[in-house]
Structures are given as C-alpha cells and as structure tokens.
Amino acid sequence: MSAVVGVLALQGASREHTAALERLGVIVQQVRLPQDLVGIDALVIPGGESTTISMLLESSGTFEPMAQLLHEGLPVLGTCAGMILLAGDVLDGRPDQKTFAQIDIAVRRNGFGRQVASFESDLKIEGFEEPFPGVFIRAPVVQTVDRSVEVLASVELDGGKQSPALCRQGNVIVSSFHPELTDDLRIHQMFLANLN
Amino acid sequence: MRVKRGLADMLRGGVIMDVVTPAEAKIAEDAGAVAVMALERVPADIRRDGGVARMSDPIMIEGIQAAVTIPVMAKARIGHFAEAQILESLGVDYVDESEVLTPADESHHIDKWSFTVPFVCGATNLGEALRRISEGACMIRSKGEAGTGNIVEAVRHLRSILGDIRKVTQADQAELFDWAKQLQAPLGLVQEIAETGSLPVPMFCAGGIATPADASLVMQLGAEAVFVGSGIFKSEDPAPRAKAIVEAVTHYEDPAMVAKVSRGLGDAMPGLEIGELDTKLAERGW
C-alpha cells in the first residue's frame, strides 16, 4: 500500500510539494485542520511565511496534535519556513512565534537578507552524485548545529564561510532552500526512503 | 526568474495588506499577513483626494521595513522606472507597478527584466496579463477597482483571465495564432498556456476585497492569494477583520470556517458603486 504523506497547506508552496510527492507515487493528504492528520505516515512543512503559518497552526488547533505526532517520531521534511518551524531555536523571529523544536539547530530568519539577496546555487549533497539546484528565497541561515545533527549540504555565505543548508537528525530533514521549486526529486526521494 | 517568481510562490494562500504607518504594518503582521504593501495613502484616500499619486517617501518605506519581519512591497507608477530603481535600492521585496498611482508613461510599462527585484502588475484580461509577463512581471494580480470596497470588478477580471485560459487550452495549433493576435500577446506565451493550462506566474486577486466572504469568493474563482487595500484599515475594527480575512483565505473551501471568522467584525469599509465613479483606475495600463 502506498504511503500517505500529509502536506501542511495553511499557506505557502504546498502545491509544489504535492506535485513532487505524487510524481513519486505516494498519496498526499492536505493538512489544514487537526482531523487531516489522521492516518498520515509522514509530514511535509512547505515554504511560506513562517509567522503566518505559525499563527494559522494555533488558530486552527493543529499545532498541539501535530507537535504530539512529531514528538512520537513522525518523519518530517521542512523546507525554508518549514525549517524554521522545526528548528530548536529561532533568532530574529517574533517573540510569540512557536516552533516544534524537532531538530537541534538555531536558525536566523531572512539571514541572507531581503528578496534582492535571494539566489540560486548548485549544492554538493552527501550521497548525491550530481549537484542539486538550490533555490534560496529570503532564506534562513543555520547559525549553530548540535553534534547529533548530520549536515548533508552547505552553502557559502558572504565572506566565504560555509553554512549548513540541508540537515538531518533522526526522522527530521530540513533545508533552507526549496527543492519543491525545481524538477529535481532527489530530496523528496531521500525523505520517502526514510519511511521504509 | 525562478528566484524572482519563487517569492510569489511562497506568498500563495496568503494576504498582502496595504499599510501607511509602521503601527499598521505591525497590526498586519500580528494578524498573519504574508507581506505588507507600504504606501502613503490607501486607494480609497487617493480616490477621495485626487491629484497626482506617486511613489511613497523612502523614510516611510524604511520605517515599515524596520517594523516587520515579513516581506515589504511598494508601488511605482506605471512606466516610472526611476521610482522602481529607487525602490530596488531601498531593498523592497516586490515592486507593484500600479494603476493606483498616476501613470508616468502613456504607452510603455517598465522593462522589468532589467531589475533584480521582482515585479507584480495588474491585469484586467489575459492579453494584458501576458503583456506584463512578457515585460518581466513575476506575479499578476487582477486590478479590480481599488478603493471601492466593491468586488465586482475583480470578479470580472478573474473570470475573464481564467475563462480565456480555459478556452486557449481547447484551441488547436492554428487557432493559437489567432488567439495571440486577438490578445495582443506573444505567441510563445499563448502556446505555453495552451500546454499548461495556467499562467507561467502566480495570479493573485486585488481590488475591492472587504470581507472574509469576498476573499473566499475570489480564491474559489481561482486566485492564489489576495491583496487587501483599503478594506482593512478603512473598516471599523481593522485587527480582527485582518485576521478573519487571513483565515478565510486559508480555509476558503470550508464555508463553516468562513462563517465562524465572519462573526461580529463590525462595519466593513463603506463601498462605492462602480457606475458612479469619476475615475476608473483599472483603465490605466496598456
């Protein structure tokens, strides 16, 4: 039986993740309300505005049950805003912004700057033979990473310093870039490989 | 292009709110706006005051940028590439080449390909949308009739654009040449739409949204996000109305949710009948 993957669809690029996952043959369940979480085998938190998604998670009553599932080990992929919502620590966020704290990293929102500083960069990813097209849109910068977190790819910051762009800890994968905006399915494949 | 339209993709399913002060920008962010549009006067006031409407004072834009963490957009006059250059240098996240301001050029829009900052442009029909995209716009919004609190024009524009897209997908190869001619749009873009069934950039709705129900209506018609101009800060109680419109855009297919958030919002902005307007902003742009 095909796996059922929930895609958080409160706001942001849920459609692109849905398309990528369907191309890989899984069933996608859009998640807007607590009842949409029933029966999912994994979850994707897409890019969007993390402050908006955070508010809508609260007002729809989805935050607590989703936090519970993640705490129990539900596999999750978070891209950009999704990375922020899964990070243990958010710098430059709003004081009332809640996160699921599922991965031991600290991120700085819009760490690369405003939209004029958004960019594309080919990334060398651990285990991938060819580089991956990284699309960074007002992306967060990972500031610190706990030793238990695997850094699978990094991106160069101004001044030449490398910063983690793709991280994994247990069942949690986060990226500061947007694999869903490309036709390259390898990161979604890597995520789904977790399910078996 | 992927980076420029990428931000529009991230704004989908969200609400972009017009604000004129840092305090309003804070209210918008607190209510869950995905972005704010920084301007000196909301369209309802521009309409009332008359005169030439221009790009906002940089101090005002910078004040709003400092007040919020979400993207900040700002408006330039149609064809006024110098205003757009200034907005880009201020680091605004999106430039709206907008018919709400007084046009600066009667036949040319801005060459948007020459900018790093992405642009959104208004359109009333598919031909206009494709001309703007061919000039480099990364997001299209319906024009509606700004500052009226009347949704009828936005609905007309959405239905026209999306209806023609559906017709184009049914056309054969020979008919596509005629479609390009009728629409006064590049053949390549018309062929692309025939293939994909959608615009190559996200399409949002603007112009006249005043209630959660208006937001649900335009989302069901096929808009991917909404701009709310005068509709929030010209209403009786802006903060709860702003939040309710955010909720309505997310849960637009769920009438019970839209009903829930529509309760007790106070008076919406007073509306205007389109037939009684002296100036139709939607007619600006070519």
Side-chain angles (χ1 to χ4, degrees), chain A residues 89-123:
Chain A
D89 201 5
V90 180
L91 311 168
D92 285 358
R94 287 167 51 89
D96 59 347
Q97 192 169 351
K98 289 179 79 170
T99 86
F100 294 110
Q102 286 298 309
I103 185 162
D104 294 323
I105 58 173
V107 300
R108 184 172 298 282
R109 280 186 68 208
N110 307 330
F112 290 96
R114 296 189 166 277
Q115 172 63 14
V116 286
S118 294
F119 62 99
E120 278 191 53
S121 172
D122 279 342
L123 302 173

Side-chain angles (χ1 to χ4, degrees), chain B residues 144-196:
Chain B
E145 193 53 43
T148 63
N150 190 333
I151 196 68
V152 67
E153 293 298 303
V155 168
R156 185 207 312 283
H157 301 158
L158 284 176
R159 282 205 181 273
S160 170
I161 294 168
L162 295 164
D164 276 352
I165 289 175
R166 282 188 281 272
K167 287 180 206 156
V168 167
T169 61
Q170 301 300 311
D172 69 20
Q173 274 302 325
E175 289 168 333
L176 291 180
F177 294 100
D178 188 48
W179 268 104
K181 192 171 68 184
Q182 304 284 343
L183 293 170
Q184 297 178 275
L187 177 64
L189 284 176
V190 175
Q191 288 169 326
E192 187 180 336
I193 283 173
E195 187 88 13
T196 63

Side-chain angles (χ1 to χ4, degrees), chain A residues 139-162:
Chain A
V141 169
V142 177
Q143 297 283 22
T144 59
V145 178
D146 188 82
R147 273 202 307 212
S148 55
V149 174
E150 290 174 83
V151 175
L152 302 176
S154 292
V155 62
E156 193 173 306
L157 303 178
D158 278 348
K161 199 173 161 248
Q162 297 285 317

Side-chain angles (χ1 to χ4, degrees), chain A residues 11 15 59 94 109 115, chain B residues 10 30 69 93 224 247:
Chain A
Q11 191 275 317
R15 189 175 70 192
S59 64
R94 287 167 51 89
R109 280 186 68 208
Q115 172 63 14
Chain B
M10 296 310 135
D30 289 346
T69 64
D93 295 293
E224 297 177 276
E247 300 275 354

Side-chain angles (χ1 to χ4, degrees), chain A residues 9-16 32-33 46-49 51-52 55-56 59-60 80 92-94 96 109-110 113-120 133 135-138 178 180-183, chain B residues 2-7 9-14 26 29-34 65-66 68-72 88 90-93 116-118 224 243 246-247 250-254 257 260:
Chain A
L10 292 168
Q11 191 275 317
S14 57
R15 189 175 70 192
E16 286 76 5
R32 290 191 180 84
L33 294 169
E49 224 15 76
T51 53
T52 303
M55 186 210 91
L56 289 164
S59 64
S60 63
C80 197
D92 285 358
R94 287 167 51 89
D96 59 347
R109 280 186 68 208
N110 307 330
R114 296 189 166 277
Q115 172 63 14
V116 286
S118 294
F119 62 99
E120 278 191 53
V135 181
F136 293 81
I137 314 266
R138 283 174 53 97
H178 293 281
E180 75 277 16
L181 294 185
T182 71
D183 290 328
Chain B
R2 193 152 64 180
V3 166
K4 285 165 82 173
R5 73 155 277 181
L7 180 56
D9 289 321
M10 296 310 135
L11 300 173
R12 289 211 318 262
K26 259 335 258 180
E29 187 183 53
D30 289 346
V34 289
Q65 285 174 324
V68 294
T69 64
I70 55 179
V72 176
E88 180 172 68
L90 294 174
V92 305
D93 295 293
T116 304
V117 66
E224 297 177 276
K243 190 161 190 300
V246 169
E247 300 275 354
T250 294
H251 302 286
Y252 70 94
E253 290 175 309
D254 185 343
M257 282 294 281
K260 186 174 145 198

Side-chain angles (χ1 to χ4, degrees), chain B residues 66 69 80 130 201 285:
Chain B
T69 64
H80 206 314
L130 295 181
V201 303

Side-chain angles (χ1 to χ4, degrees), chain A residues 114-117, chain B residues 3-5 7 72-74 83-96 110-120 136-138:
Chain A
R114 296 189 166 277
Q115 172 63 14
V116 286
Chain B
V3 166
K4 285 165 82 173
R5 73 155 277 181
L7 180 56
V72 176
M73 304 185 179
E83 284 189 348
Q85 289 162 352
I86 292 166
L87 294 175
E88 180 172 68
S89 80
L90 294 174
V92 305
D93 295 293
Y94 243 90
V95 174
D96 184 1
I110 297 170
D111 167 19
K112 294 165 273 287
W113 294 112
S114 66
F115 287 78
T116 304
V117 66
F119 280 73
V120 51
C138 301

